Amino acid sequence: MTSLPNDAPIDAEKLDRLAELAVKVGLDLQPGQDLMLTAPAEALPLVRRIAVHAYKAGAGVVTPILSDPEIALARYENADDASFDRAPAWLYEGMGKAFDQNAARLAVAGDDPLLLAGQDPDKVGRANKANAMAYGPARERITRFDMNWNIVAWPGAAWASRVFPDLPPEAAQRKLADAIFAASRVDQDDPVAAWEAHNATLRKRSDWLNARAFHALHFSGPGTDLTVGLADGHEWMGGASTARNGITCNPNIPTEEVFTTPHAHRVEGVVRSTKPLSHGGSLIDGIEVRFEAGRIVEAKAAAGEEVLLELIDTDEGARRLGEVALVPHSSPISQSGLLFFNTLFDENAACHIALGQCYSKCFRGGEGLDADRVAAQGGNASAIHVDWMIGSGEIDIDGLDADGNRTPVFRKGEWA
Amino acid sequence: MTSLPNDAPIDAEKLDRLAELAVKVGLDLQPGQDLMLTAPAEALPLVRRIAVHAYKAGAGVVTPILSDPEIALARYENADDASFDRAPAWLYEGMGKAFDQNAARLAVAGDDPLLLAGQDPDKVGRANKANAMAYGPARERITRFDMNWNIVAWPGAAWASRVFPDLPPEAAQRKLADAIFAASRVDQDDPVAAWEAHNATLRKRSDWLNARAFHALHFSGPGTDLTVGLADGHEWMGGASTARNGITCNPNIPTEEVFTTPHAHRVEGVVRSTKPLSHGGSLIDGIEVRFEAGRIVEAKAAAGEEVLLELIDTDEGARRLGEVALVPHSSPISQSGLLFFNTLFDENAACHIALGQCYSKCFRGGEGLDADRVAAQGGNASAIHVDWMIGSGEIDIDGLDADGNRTPVFRKGEWA
Ligand SMILES: [Zn+2]
Ligand SMILES: [Zn+2]
Ligand SMILES: [Zn+2]
Ligand SMILES: [Zn+2]
């Protein structure tokens, strides 16, 4: 069973280690557990190795759902206008059912982050919105952390050429593969041990923040003067985490963040993005927004403003925060100096916030909280969850208690 | 948007005509109608052209579900025994829901017909059975003809090398592509007109048979002495046909058969297969079975007997007939002299019968019949529908009326 042509620019052994890591550390897939896997068709060499390791781990049945960028483009180039309000709800409802039956979920990222950059932003925005609404049954179970899930990356050819526009395609793909392998720690001798150590470091940070139980965080830096209230009973998480089905997984590979749930009604001030955001095949850059009582009341962007405005109009919760995450400017991904145009990487190179749905796991006793209780404690609900980067080497962060007393958390982008 | 590398052995223009034919004649896809499409990932060049033509026809959203043979093999090579009783029911339930919402269904055939030939037949049989049971919600709507559907073929590389084992891979794929294009009539100047003429020919044959309203057909030939009772109120169909959603489609491209529903309890005698059957990645050859009162009471096969026995044990209806179909030995596909190891082609080269589920459309007023009524008139129900070939140049067929009077239907494999 050959997974890669001999002349492929991607190291087959490291790719296999990434697949094994995704199954063992990313998912900790259990004997008898089914696996639902989404991936670009181009990522088949990785998907095949994931299937091998999943079955070796005792998987029930592995079901890949493969996508193709040219089919997505065929829609923009040929479809009637009405098409852009449609989405395959039946597929996402099916995924929700699979999760209810304890299937694990693995997503392989690797699409061209700017696939739709040349398309009509109104159509792109509407199609993203229709898809986000239809995706509800799957997203709900993922954000509630019902079951073990994981995202890993495939060094897609088009993506590689966005990250390394000056390199020939094969060299670009090789460099992106190496960056993915390094960030995912599969270039180390014992990736599983490396992840244990890394998880312990992230745990130390979240333990420290949980002991402080801040009422709010205050971010200051160029263009940013933002107070992010934290949800009542919020809990900081990072790295390995235990899903409601009792399985401890690492949802993101790579990950460098600790994160928690902001209070949907206690965010005030202005914030400016520090890296471009690739969302649904479009680039949004130079975001500046103002929050009042947790809600975005002004928003603009230097690029992709129409897609941004469509995004925050998805539903009521799309204008409020569902996540705040801390990542030091010295994180390995940040130190690579690369801009990946992919949230899985860029969010792990900078402090970030996410618009939309919160993770109910980020509450003390979160496993037991229903949606009403999450909302009562300040957790946001939405059909979207979109992270964007607000951290840099110039950001200071203070923790505030209920009386407004300040504790330094970050100085110049590093843990204080 | 490039669909095929410049050096591909497949004619890009004919491939595009096949895609257009599948959308326009195969499905007659309607503006606003969604399309659910299954295909091997290898068939992406055809799938992409289908997506283009579907969107040009006004499709809502096109959702491809792509499969990969290496992932299927990874299961046989690595999975626990318990895996082989599992199937992604959630996906098939989702498809059923899509059809209920009037999505059209297009299946691209092209897999290696002997992919699993080297695997444990017990595991293959169990996995096929689990999949057939789980597929129910989709199969039910397809066999009830709720919506327009179509199957077309992609000249898969592994399939091509099975059909032309003595040719180098590229030449084999080119020859299989040409055979598919010829059988699908896309090598003619006006394929749509060619299909209109072809549909008229098939209609003439089914009209003749419907006017006779035979009580049974009697097949005789080497190893075969079989009386196939026809269901009460059966109707012969062939070529274009109107689904319950009112759309007239051609479910199979190619097609050369006229077919109807046998009576599940009135089949008597012995029958020998005349071509090997590729079923679920395994080869079954030299089938000999004996029917009593509609039920298989003895079955053997020269090859693949274990898979056959597992197949007819799927459920009670798996031992009874759900289809009988007439194809002259002079059909173009038969004249090609090729054995395709693929039912879409081989069933259109020979008279055949199918074990399992009947098409309720093959009754007068079939659109209005519920499952109980279909059963009362002799229609069979099962989780399987597997066609196998019993026709040749040596087969004679008589039509029998209720009193046993005989009318010649076929002599030496041709219409009498
Ligand atoms: Zn985050
Ligand atoms: Zn996030
Ligand atoms: Zn047939
Ligand atoms: Zn059939």
Side-chain angles (χ1 to χ4, degrees):
Chain A
M1 206 171 83
T2 312
S3 287
L4 280 171
N6 285 334
D7 58 347
I10 298 164
D11 183 313
E13 193 192 317
K14 286 184 187 141
L15 194 71
D16 184 65
R17 288 163 79 171
L18 183 61
E20 186 174 8
L21 185 77
V23 170
K24 292 192 175 161
V25 173
L27 294 174
D28 191 19
L29 194 73
Q30 300 296 304
Q33 196 177 20
D34 290 338
L35 174 59
M36 195 286 294
L37 188 158
T38 56
E42 179 198 6
L44 265 175
L46 175 59
V47 172
R48 288 167 177 167
R49 297 313 303 167
I50 290 170
V52 166
H53 288 289
Y55 282 123
K56 279 186 179 169
V61 62
V62 177
T63 306
I65 304 291
L66 303 172
S67 57
D68 179 65
E70 294 204 17
I71 293 175
L73 281 179
R75 185 183 189 189
Y76 284 90
E77 287 161 4
N78 298 286
D80 285 354
D81 187 71
S83 167
F84 299 94
D85 297 315
R86 298 198 62 85
W90 64 269
L91 180 60
Y92 303 138
E93 287 165 20
M95 290 179 184
K97 193 169 287 187
F99 300 151
D100 284 348
Q101 292 157 358
N102 202 36
R105 173 249 192 179
L106 201 151
V108 176
D111 282 321
D112 179 356
L114 302 178
L115 178 72
L116 303 178
Q119 304 301 328
D120 177 352
D122 173 62
K123 289 181 179 168
V124 173
R126 282 162 53 210
N128 282 343
K129 179 172 173 174
N131 205 66
M133 303 305 284
Y135 191 62
R139 184 188 47 254
E140 197 176 283
R141 288 156 177 86
I142 293 167
T143 58
R144 204 165 56 201
F145 209 7
D146 280 1
M147 69 297 163
N148 43 335
W149 62 270
N150 173 250
I151 311 180
V152 283
W154 159 258
W159 178 22
S161 290
R162 303 291 187 184
V163 180
F164 303 102
D166 300 329
L167 292 182
E170 291 237 325
Q173 198 172 21
R174 184 177 305 114
K175 283 208 82 158
L176 180 57
D178 288 344
I180 290 171
F181 295 148
S184 307
R185 296 178 162 76
V186 293
D187 59 350
Q188 302 185 24
D189 281 341
D190 185 346
V192 174
W195 273 87
E196 275 171 21
H198 181 50
N199 280 331
T201 304
L202 293 171
R203 169 60 51 104
K204 218 176 58 183
R205 295 296 185 193
S206 48
D207 283 352
W208 183 83
L209 287 159
N210 285 328
R212 299 298 165 284
F214 292 123
H215 187 65
L217 296 179
H218 178 249
F219 291 75
S220 60
T224 292
D225 178 6
L226 183 73
T227 301
V228 178
L230 300 181
D232 305 340
H234 71 272
E235 184 165 326
W236 289 88
M237 321 263 318
S241 182
T242 303
R244 287 186 190 219
N245 67 359
I247 301 169
T248 300
C249 62
N250 265 274
N252 288 3
I253 290 180
T255 185
E256 301 288 338
E257 60 175 337
V258 294
F259 60 103
T260 195
T261 301
H263 197 294
H265 298 272
R266 292 200 291 104
V267 182
E268 303 284 346
V270 293
V271 60
R272 179 188 291 173
S273 66
T274 53
K275 290 173 188 278
L277 161 66
S278 159
H279 174 67
S282 303
L283 199 74
I284 310 176
D285 198 10
I287 302 172
E288 294 190 14
V289 303
R290 190 161 65 82
F291 287 89
E292 276 181 19
R295 189 165 182 278
I296 291 178
V297 292
E298 280 173 36
K300 60 182 181 178
E305 182 169 296
E306 196 168 346
V307 175
L308 174 68
L309 297 180
E310 189 93 43
L311 176 69
I312 64 178
D313 273 344
T314 303
D315 53 26
E316 172 56 28
R319 287 179 177 264
R320 299 180 187 273
L321 294 187
E323 177 187 334
V324 57
L326 304 184
V327 180
H329 190 58
S330 61
S331 100
I333 296 171
S334 178
Q335 287 302 305
S336 76
L338 297 173
L339 186 62
F340 288 87
F341 304 105
N342 180 301
T343 297
L344 182 60
F345 288 80
D346 292 331
E347 75 160 1
N348 284 306
C351 293
H352 57 272
I353 50 181
L355 296 172
Q357 179 65 43
C358 74
Y359 290 100
S360 59
K361 176 76 182 172
C362 288
F363 285 94
R364 288 196 302 276
E367 305 79 15
L369 300 187
D370 63 17
D372 286 348
R373 189 62 198 272
V374 165
Q377 293 187 211
N380 193 30
S382 172
I384 68 162
H385 175 99
V386 178
D387 302 87
W388 48 286
M389 283 57 75
I390 64 169
S392 71
E394 299 174 275
I395 280 280
D396 292 338
I397 309 172
D398 285 340
L400 307 179
D401 67 17
D403 300 324
N405 300 310
R406 291 180 172 257
T407 305
V409 177
F410 268 51
R411 284 297 175 267
K412 300 269 171 229
E414 301 300 326
W415 289 99
Chain B
M1 203 170 82
T2 311
S3 287
L4 280 171
N6 285 334
D7 58 347
I10 299 164
D11 182 314
E13 194 192 317
K14 285 185 187 139
L15 194 70
D16 184 65
R17 289 163 78 170
L18 183 61
E20 187 174 7
L21 185 77
V23 170
K24 291 191 176 162
V25 173
L27 294 175
D28 192 18
L29 194 73
Q30 299 296 303
Q33 197 178 19
D34 290 338
L35 174 60
M36 195 287 293
L37 188 159
T38 56
E42 179 199 7
L44 265 175
L46 175 60
V47 173
R48 288 168 177 167
R49 298 312 303 166
I50 290 170
V52 166
H53 288 290
Y55 281 123
K56 279 186 177 167
V61 62
V62 177
T63 305
I65 304 291
L66 303 172
S67 58
D68 179 65
E70 294 205 17
I71 293 175
L73 280 179
R75 185 183 189 188
Y76 283 90
E77 286 161 6
N78 298 286
D80 285 354
D81 187 71
S83 167
F84 299 94
D85 298 315
R86 298 198 62 83
W90 64 268
L91 181 59
Y92 304 138
E93 286 164 21
M95 290 180 184
K97 193 169 287 187
F99 300 152
D100 284 347
Q101 292 158 358
N102 202 36
R105 174 250 192 178
L106 200 151
V108 176
D111 282 322
D112 179 357
L114 301 179
L115 179 72
L116 303 178
Q119 304 301 329
D120 176 353
D122 173 61
K123 289 181 179 170
V124 173
R126 283 162 52 210
N128 282 344
K129 179 172 174 174
N131 205 67
M133 303 306 284
Y135 192 61
R139 184 187 47 253
E140 199 177 281
R141 288 155 177 84
I142 293 167
T143 58
R144 204 166 57 201
F145 209 7
D146 280 0
M147 70 297 162
N148 43 334
W149 61 270
N150 173 251
I151 310 180
V152 284
W154 159 257
W159 179 22
S161 290
R162 302 293 187 185
V163 180
F164 303 102
D166 300 329
L167 292 183
E170 292 237 324
Q173 198 170 22
R174 185 177 305 113
K175 283 208 83 159
L176 181 57
D178 287 344
I180 290 171
F181 295 148
S184 307
R185 296 177 162 77
V186 293
D187 59 349
Q188 302 185 23
D189 280 342
D190 185 345
V192 174
W195 273 87
E196 275 172 19
H198 181 51
N199 279 330
T201 305
L202 294 171
R203 168 59 50 104
K204 217 177 59 184
R205 295 297 184 191
S206 48
D207 282 351
W208 183 84
L209 287 160
N210 285 327
R212 298 298 164 284
F214 292 124
H215 187 65
L217 296 180
H218 178 248
F219 291 76
S220 60
T224 292
D225 179 5
L226 183 73
T227 301
V228 178
L230 301 181
D232 305 339
H234 70 273
E235 183 166 327
W236 289 87
M237 322 263 318
S241 183
T242 303
R244 287 185 190 219
N245 67 359
I247 302 170
T248 300
C249 62
N250 265 275
N252 288 3
I253 290 180
T255 186
E256 301 288 339
E257 60 175 338
V258 293
F259 59 102
T260 195
T261 301
H263 196 295
H265 298 272
R266 291 200 290 105
V267 181
E268 302 284 345
V270 294
V271 60
R272 180 187 290 173
S273 66
T274 53
K275 289 173 187 280
L277 162 66
S278 159
H279 174 68
S282 303
L283 198 74
I284 310 176
D285 198 10
I287 303 172
E288 295 190 15
V289 303
R290 190 161 66 81
F291 286 89
E292 275 181 19
R295 189 165 180 279
I296 291 179
V297 292
E298 281 173 36
K300 60 182 182 179
E305 182 169 295
E306 196 167 347
V307 175
L308 174 68
L309 297 180
E310 189 92 43
L311 176 69
I312 64 178
D313 274 343
T314 302
D315 53 25
E316 171 57 28
R319 286 179 178 263
R320 299 180 187 272
L321 293 187
E323 177 187 334
V324 57
L326 304 183
V327 180
H329 189 58
S330 61
S331 101
I333 296 171
S334 178
Q335 288 302 304
S336 76
L338 297 174
L339 186 62
F340 288 86
F341 305 106
N342 180 302
T343 298
L344 181 60
F345 288 80
D346 292 331
E347 76 161 0
N348 285 306
C351 292
H352 57 271
I353 50 181
L355 296 171
Q357 179 65 44
C358 74
Y359 289 100
S360 60
K361 177 77 182 173
C362 289
F363 284 95
R364 287 196 301 276
E367 304 79 13
L369 300 187
D370 62 18
D372 285 348
R373 189 63 198 273
V374 165
Q377 294 186 211
N380 192 31
S382 171
I384 68 163
H385 176 99
V386 178
D387 303 87
W388 48 286
M389 282 56 75
I390 64 169
S392 71
E394 298 175 275
I395 281 280
D396 292 338
I397 308 173
D398 284 340
L400 307 178
D401 67 17
D403 300 323
N405 300 311
R406 290 181 172 257
T407 305
V409 178
F410 268 50
R411 284 296 175 267
K412 299 269 171 231
E414 301 300 327
W415 289 99

